[in-house]
Amino acid sequence: MKDHLIKLLETCIENSSDEDLGALSFVLEGIQNKITEKNTTYIDGLLHMERKLDENSCEITVPNNPILYNNLNILHGGITATVLDTTMGTLANYHLPEGFGAVTNQLNIHYIAPGTGDKIRCRAEIVHKGSKTMVISGEAFRSDGKKIAYATGTFFTIQK
Amino acid sequence: MKDHLIKLLETCIENSSDEDLGALSFVLEGIQNKITEKNTTYIDGLLHMERKLDENSCEITVPNNPILYNNLNILHGGITATVLDTTMGTLANYHLPEGFGAVTNQLNIHYIAPGTGDKIRCRAEIVHKGSKTMVISGEAFRSDGKKIAYATGTFFTIQK
Amino acid sequence: MKDHLIKLLETCIENSSDEDLGALSFVLEGIQNKITEKNTTYIDGLLHMERKLDENSCEITVPNNPILYNNLNILHGGITATVLDTTMGTLANYHLPEGFGAVTNQLNIHYIAPGTGDKIRCRAEIVHKGSKTMVISGEAFRSDGKKIAYATGTFFTIQK
Amino acid sequence: MKDHLIKLLETCIENSSDEDLGALSFVLEGIQNKITEKNTTYIDGLLHMERKLDENSCEITVPNNPILYNNLNILHGGITATVLDTTMGTLANYHLPEGFGAVTNQLNIHYIAPGTGDKIRCRAEIVHKGSKTMVISGEAFRSDGKKIAYATGTFFTIQK
């Protein structure tokens, strides 16, 4: 397996443009984030997530990168959705007792502006905290402060 | 850069569990999909997307993989959102004249069941086709045929 | 009370335009629909709902009327929402055992075309039927067959 | 027509319960609100809307009434949707130059608690103000201050 991986990377490198080399670096560092336990999931690692969390809000910041672009060369709406959902779910989980987890039941996103610039910052707040469901809102901003998306979601409490 | 990448991969491998090695293989093959032009974007490549498209519907299938899991070890809702949005957007683009592209203005997703099993298959259909906006629906299924999500989205037509 | 009502109606009539007289007729017949048990709720009566229901779908038709217009003189989106929600909820309730009811937890509506013409027909179908939640879709059409709205909703099962 | 209306009301009254008489009073006063130009549309009149509006927010309060209940005897979700949509649309319109109007393109509502008590108060705020579209959020509260619903909507600017 290890030789196969080195061989695979060498083949990739041989045929790589500069952008491809940047992409390889971004994903390898991403997996490393998980291996070194800087992040707890591969997705969090791959997206290079940095998070801040307290009782009232959660913030996750990710660097923008060509690897996250759609075919129009702007941040893919699904990536914005992934970071928003993670930010909102992290806040929901923070409010649950041990042994319980929050799962997304419904997610609605308004896309407002193209996700360009260096970084995307998402911020979640609680709209409603019930015993079985929570409603959470989330906003995404780019480096110049412009809001690029607004989301709300319903989260269900489940026993892990 | 090339030596740096090989060194980075070696460091990753040294500290890798079997799951980590699988993750490294999955993302390197993913980037290779883009380099070899099997897929047109890094995201499509990383998710190993296979697509079928005709006038009436678009289908995209992706293999399930631990790299796509959330902290509850099930498919991350943001990944489901990414594949649904890509499937729906691909169908929207298919209906536009050259020089125009479709951007997601709003996306709503109902999550119905955990995304487990080997593969996730998404299927999009047109709800409304206007000159400036389209409404598209999308469904996601797992290998055993169970529906795991249902989405609708508004897509705007823009000049590229 | 009865004299007060007659007096109130007479005052209304005195200052009424033809449209106002039509509005008075529409709402009085609406309340009558409830009094005579043609409809089971005041809202259903006021909107003059006619419904068809079987296991797989529910259809509700309402006559269009100036009383249902917004300030742009087209059918108010909230009325479309009301008929869609009723159609979708009726179908959800049909699938529940006695003693249980369905409440709307979340409702998403795409407005597609102005609600003009004689009648509005809404049609609901089941997207997902779980033990605690259902996802239902609904479409609204005007008399000329044009789709004016597409909705999805999450319904929770509660004990009455 | 006028005799027909009086006759219709008398027939209604004859067979009315106390609740029915209250309903008749509520709708007749509602139509009167429109005739006397206290409200500008029949719906606003029928729902007895009182509104407060400034640059940053719009508030509409409506009295709760059995006429607005669903078959579970709580405020119909469609009525909450109607008041929210009106509040959000009023704020959108406030920000448009003369000759332009705002139409709802998409509306998403999270229902949080039953709409009981004397009054329902809705409050809208701007999430995003663009030249062609606005995103507006809306909250609904009952008299005891409890939040009963949270909504977001996309509004399109059209020439009247």
Side-chain angles (χ1 to χ4, degrees):
Chain A
M1 180 65 156
K2 296 179 188 188
D3 291 349
H4 164 73
L5 286 172
I6 298 286
K7 188 97 183 58
L8 178 55
L9 178 58
E10 283 171 348
T11 313
C12 282
I13 289 172
E14 264 168 49
N15 303 288
S16 277
S17 66
D18 279 359
E19 196 179 65
D20 296 334
L21 293 174
L24 287 165
S25 174
F26 195 81
V27 299
L28 287 176
E29 284 166 9
I31 300 292
Q32 194 178 38
N33 286 336
K34 169 68 167 65
I35 293 170
T36 61
E37 295 179 6
K38 192 185 161 199
N39 292 107
T40 53
T41 67
Y42 291 113
I43 292 176
D44 290 14
L46 273 170
L47 293 173
H48 298 237
M49 289 186 188
E50 308 268 0
R51 60 178 83 186
K52 279 195 282 186
L53 177 64
D54 63 38
E55 197 182 338
N56 299 311
S57 72
C58 176
E59 264 193 37
I60 294 182
T61 303
V62 299
N64 214 343
N65 190 284
I67 212 172
L68 309 175
Y69 292 171
N70 62 18
N71 63 334
L72 296 169
N73 280 315
I74 51 175
L75 185 68
H76 193 297
I79 300 299
T80 310
T82 302
V83 186
L84 280 166
D85 184 43
T86 304
T87 311
M88 294 156 77
T90 301
L91 184 59
N93 274 299
Y94 181 88
H95 284 268
L96 294 178
E98 214 166 313
F100 292 85
V103 292
T104 315
N105 173 258
Q106 181 269 337
L107 182 66
N108 184 61
I109 304 176
H110 299 273
Y111 293 97
I112 293 169
T116 53
D118 283 352
K119 292 188 173 190
I120 302 299
R121 180 173 61 87
C122 291
R123 190 168 187 285
E125 285 186 7
I126 289 177
V127 171
H128 164 71
K129 185 182 159 186
S131 56
K132 288 174 192 163
T133 66
M134 280 189 245
V135 178
I136 314 265
S137 69
E139 296 175 293
F141 302 90
R142 54 191 198 199
S143 306
D144 64 6
K146 179 135 189 70
K147 196 182 292 176
I148 63 165
Y150 188 82
T152 56
T154 306
F155 292 82
F156 281 10
T157 302
I158 60 160
Q159 227 164 332
K160 277 188 192 171
Chain B
M1 181 64 154
K2 297 178 188 189
D3 291 349
H4 164 72
L5 286 172
I6 298 287
K7 188 92 184 58
L8 178 54
L9 179 58
E10 283 171 347
T11 312
C12 282
I13 289 172
E14 264 170 50
N15 302 287
S16 277
S17 67
D18 279 358
E19 195 178 67
D20 295 334
L21 293 173
L24 287 165
S25 174
F26 194 81
V27 299
L28 287 177
E29 284 166 9
I31 299 292
Q32 195 179 36
N33 286 336
K34 169 68 167 65
I35 293 171
T36 62
E37 296 179 5
K38 192 185 161 199
N39 292 106
T40 54
T41 66
Y42 291 113
I43 291 176
D44 290 15
L46 273 171
L47 293 173
H48 298 238
M49 289 186 188
E50 308 268 1
R51 61 179 82 186
K52 280 195 283 187
L53 177 64
D54 63 37
E55 198 181 336
N56 299 310
S57 71
C58 177
E59 265 193 37
I60 294 181
T61 303
V62 299
N64 213 343
N65 189 283
I67 211 173
L68 310 175
Y69 293 171
N70 62 18
N71 64 333
L72 297 168
N73 281 314
I74 50 175
L75 185 68
H76 193 296
I79 299 300
T80 310
T82 301
V83 185
L84 280 166
D85 183 43
T86 304
T87 312
M88 295 156 77
T90 301
L91 184 59
N93 274 299
Y94 181 87
H95 285 267
L96 294 179
E98 213 166 313
F100 291 86
V103 293
T104 315
N105 173 257
Q106 181 269 336
L107 182 66
N108 184 61
I109 305 174
H110 298 273
Y111 293 97
I112 291 169
T116 54
D118 282 353
K119 292 188 172 191
I120 302 299
R121 180 172 62 87
C122 290
R123 190 168 187 285
E125 285 187 6
I126 289 178
V127 171
H128 164 71
K129 185 181 160 186
S131 57
K132 287 175 191 163
T133 66
M134 279 189 245
V135 178
I136 314 264
S137 68
E139 296 176 293
F141 301 90
R142 53 192 198 199
S143 306
D144 64 5
K146 179 136 190 69
K147 196 182 291 174
I148 63 165
Y150 188 83
T152 57
T154 305
F155 291 81
F156 280 11
T157 302
I158 61 160
Q159 226 165 333
K160 276 188 194 172
Chain C
M1 179 66 154
K2 297 175 188 187
D3 290 350
H4 163 73
L5 287 171
I6 299 287
K7 189 93 185 58
L8 179 55
L9 178 58
E10 284 171 348
T11 312
C12 283
I13 289 172
E14 264 169 49
N15 302 288
S16 278
S17 66
D18 280 359
E19 194 178 68
D20 295 334
L21 292 174
L24 287 165
S25 175
F26 195 81
V27 299
L28 286 177
E29 284 166 8
I31 301 290
Q32 195 179 36
N33 286 335
K34 168 67 167 66
I35 292 171
T36 62
E37 296 180 3
K38 194 186 159 197
N39 292 108
T40 54
T41 67
Y42 291 113
I43 291 176
D44 290 14
L46 273 170
L47 292 173
H48 298 237
M49 289 186 187
E50 308 267 2
R51 61 179 82 187
K52 281 195 282 186
L53 177 64
D54 62 37
E55 198 181 336
N56 299 311
S57 71
C58 177
E59 264 192 38
I60 294 181
T61 303
V62 299
N64 213 342
N65 189 284
I67 211 173
L68 310 175
Y69 292 172
N70 62 18
N71 63 334
L72 297 169
N73 281 314
I74 50 173
L75 185 69
H76 193 296
I79 299 300
T80 310
T82 301
V83 186
L84 280 167
D85 183 43
T86 304
T87 311
M88 295 156 76
T90 301
L91 185 59
N93 274 299
Y94 182 88
H95 285 268
L96 294 179
E98 213 166 313
F100 291 85
V103 293
T104 315
N105 173 257
Q106 182 268 337
L107 182 66
N108 184 61
I109 304 175
H110 298 273
Y111 293 97
I112 292 169
T116 53
D118 283 353
K119 292 188 173 190
I120 303 298
R121 180 173 61 87
C122 291
R123 191 168 187 284
E125 285 186 6
I126 289 177
V127 170
H128 164 70
K129 186 181 160 186
S131 56
K132 287 174 191 164
T133 67
M134 279 188 245
V135 178
I136 314 265
S137 68
E139 296 176 292
F141 302 91
R142 54 191 197 199
S143 306
D144 64 5
K146 179 137 189 69
K147 196 181 291 175
I148 63 166
Y150 188 81
T152 56
T154 306
F155 291 81
F156 280 10
T157 302
I158 61 159
Q159 226 165 333
K160 277 189 191 172
Chain D
M1 181 64 156
K2 297 177 188 187
D3 291 350
H4 164 73
L5 286 172
I6 298 287
K7 189 92 185 59
L8 179 54
L9 178 58
E10 284 172 349
T11 313
C12 283
I13 289 172
E14 263 169 50
N15 303 289
S16 277
S17 66
D18 280 359
E19 196 178 66
D20 295 334
L21 294 173
L24 288 164
S25 174
F26 195 82
V27 299
L28 287 176
E29 284 166 8
I31 300 291
Q32 195 179 37
N33 286 335
K34 169 67 167 63
I35 293 171
T36 62
E37 297 180 3
K38 193 186 161 196
N39 292 106
T40 54
T41 67
Y42 291 112
I43 291 176
D44 290 16
L46 273 170
L47 293 173
H48 297 237
M49 289 186 188
E50 308 268 1
R51 61 179 83 186
K52 280 195 283 187
L53 177 64
D54 63 38
E55 197 181 337
N56 299 312
S57 72
C58 177
E59 263 192 38
I60 294 181
T61 303
V62 299
N64 213 343
N65 189 283
I67 212 172
L68 310 175
Y69 293 172
N70 62 18
N71 63 335
L72 297 168
N73 281 314
I74 50 175
L75 186 68
H76 194 295
I79 300 300
T80 310
T82 301
V83 186
L84 280 166
D85 184 42
T86 305
T87 311
M88 294 156 77
T90 301
L91 184 59
N93 275 299
Y94 182 88
H95 284 267
L96 295 179
E98 213 164 313
F100 291 85
V103 293
T104 315
N105 172 258
Q106 181 269 338
L107 182 65
N108 184 61
I109 305 175
H110 298 273
Y111 293 96
I112 291 168
T116 53
D118 283 353
K119 293 187 174 191
I120 303 298
R121 181 173 60 87
C122 291
R123 189 168 189 284
E125 286 187 4
I126 289 177
V127 171
H128 163 71
K129 186 181 161 186
S131 57
K132 288 173 191 163
T133 66
M134 279 188 245
V135 178
I136 313 265
S137 68
E139 297 175 291
F141 302 91
R142 54 191 197 199
S143 306
D144 64 6
K146 178 137 190 69
K147 195 182 292 175
I148 63 165
Y150 188 83
T152 56
T154 306
F155 292 81
F156 280 11
T157 301
I158 60 159
Q159 227 164 332
K160 277 189 195 175

